Amino acid sequence: MADPILELRDVYSSYGNIKALKGVSLKVFPGEIVAIIGANGAGKSTTLMAISGIVPVDKGDILYQGSSIVGKSAEKLPAMGLCQVPEGRRIFPRLSVAENLELGAFHRKERAEIEQDMERVFSLFPALAERRKQQGGTLSGGEQQMLAIARALMTRPKLLLMDEPSLGLAPLFVQKIFDIIHDVNEREGMTILLVEQNANLALQAAQRGYVLETGTVTMEDNADTLLHNPEIRKAYLGETA
């Protein structure tokens, strides 16, 4: 088996006196979609922010392509091929769709390749192609989520971190977003680490999954096995015994 593109080794992280991560270990291999599921406050988003250099690591190590990235500043990671699609989208509302995409390529210099990538992204997201001159803030929630994913793809990532992509979206757009996640993984060979409140959709999309509870990994397995685990179905899919 190939070496993991990402590995967390016994990672601890905190906000002041609140210990958010208490020894999280996980691996993501090239070409995989890996899901992290768990209740609110379990440490899912904190895990992504620790990887992205937004939240400091108190103890443990995070390896990306075999090298430690603990202490690396967040703005240097996209140029290394590690990019996050943040919770809540966080697009630039007053900039056009095209300008938002340009900002995704801020660390790149080769103009022709940037133009080529923009057209490739528009082919993945036809709804954005039709609105390329429209201000980001005038898009629907689902279209803004598409724009956030498209902007991340403009960095040419090797690993995409996705934080709650279905949050606040209508069911129709939720399915569209997960179709895009599947498409990007299949067509582009993109490796994705997915944090998602909707455990059912996340595990259907992923090959493997981790369950986080109060900052600790309590279960890891193939996604299909987790999806059919009675404990998981009761705790996260609302099923009763």
Side-chain angles (χ1 to χ4, degrees):
M1 184 180 275
D3 292 331
I5 189 170
L6 178 75
E7 183 177 2
L8 274 65
R9 295 180 178 172
D10 204 27
V11 171
Y12 287 74
S13 195
S14 55
Y15 298 99
N17 294 326
I18 300 167
K19 293 191 178 356
L21 303 181
K22 306 167 192 171
V24 170
S25 294
L26 60 82
K27 292 179 182 179
V28 180
F29 292 92
E32 282 191 309
I33 299 178
V34 174
I36 302 176
I37 64 168
N40 281 334
K44 304 187 302 296
S45 292
T46 305
T47 300
L48 292 195
M49 289 194 285
I51 297 165
S52 296
I54 298 163
V55 172
V57 172
D58 301 331
K59 199 167 80 170
D61 205 359
I62 300 174
L63 303 177
Y64 170 65
Q65 294 188 310
S67 299
S68 177
I69 54 171
V70 171
K72 282 250 185 231
S73 61
E75 63 268 20
K76 289 184 178 171
L77 294 177
M80 295 169 64
L82 197 162
C83 190
Q84 181 168 342
V85 180
E87 181 183 334
R89 303 179 275 280
R90 297 188 194 170
I91 58 144
F92 296 93
R94 296 190 178 186
L95 298 183
S96 71
V97 165
E99 287 166 338
N100 269 275
L101 294 177
E102 291 265 1
L103 283 171
F106 75 96
H107 64 281
R108 298 171 54 193
K109 301 286 187 283
E110 63 292 352
R111 192 69 239 165
E113 287 186 16
I114 291 170
E115 295 287 345
Q116 193 178 3
D117 282 354
M118 193 173 289
E119 291 312 311
R120 180 177 61 90
V121 160
F122 281 139
S123 74
L124 280 170
F125 301 90
L128 297 182
E130 294 166 12
R131 295 165 174 76
R132 66 177 74 200
K133 294 182 179 177
Q134 201 171 312
Q135 281 190 337
T138 65
L139 302 179
S140 70
E143 289 163 348
Q144 287 185 23
Q145 184 65 68
M146 289 180 189
L147 179 55
I149 296 169
R151 182 181 61 190
L153 292 179
M154 288 296 295
T155 71
R156 286 203 170 177
K158 295 181 178 74
L159 173 62
L160 198 57
L161 310 177
M162 304 192 76
D163 195 358
E164 303 283 9
S166 77
L167 190 69
L169 300 185
L172 180 64
F173 264 115
V174 170
Q175 192 54 59
K176 273 188 184 175
I177 293 299
F178 272 86
D179 287 345
I180 287 165
I181 290 168
H182 180 265
D183 226 31
V184 166
N185 174 253
E186 286 281 306
R187 280 172 54 181
E188 310 274 314
M190 186 71 61
T191 308
I192 298 170
L193 180 58
L194 171 67
V195 158
E196 178 54 59
Q197 194 68 37
N198 188 325
N200 196 27
L201 273 176
L203 293 173
Q204 284 178 18
Q207 284 88 46
R208 293 190 306 111
Y210 291 84
V211 181
L212 268 188
E213 289 180 19
T214 58
T216 307
V217 174
T218 57
M219 208 179 293
E220 60 177 285
D221 213 323
N222 291 331
D224 195 56
T225 304
L226 289 174
L227 188 60
H228 293 95
N229 182 308
E231 287 178 45
I232 299 294
R233 297 196 72 79
K234 186 178 177 185
Y236 302 110
L237 304 180
E239 291 190 3
T240 52

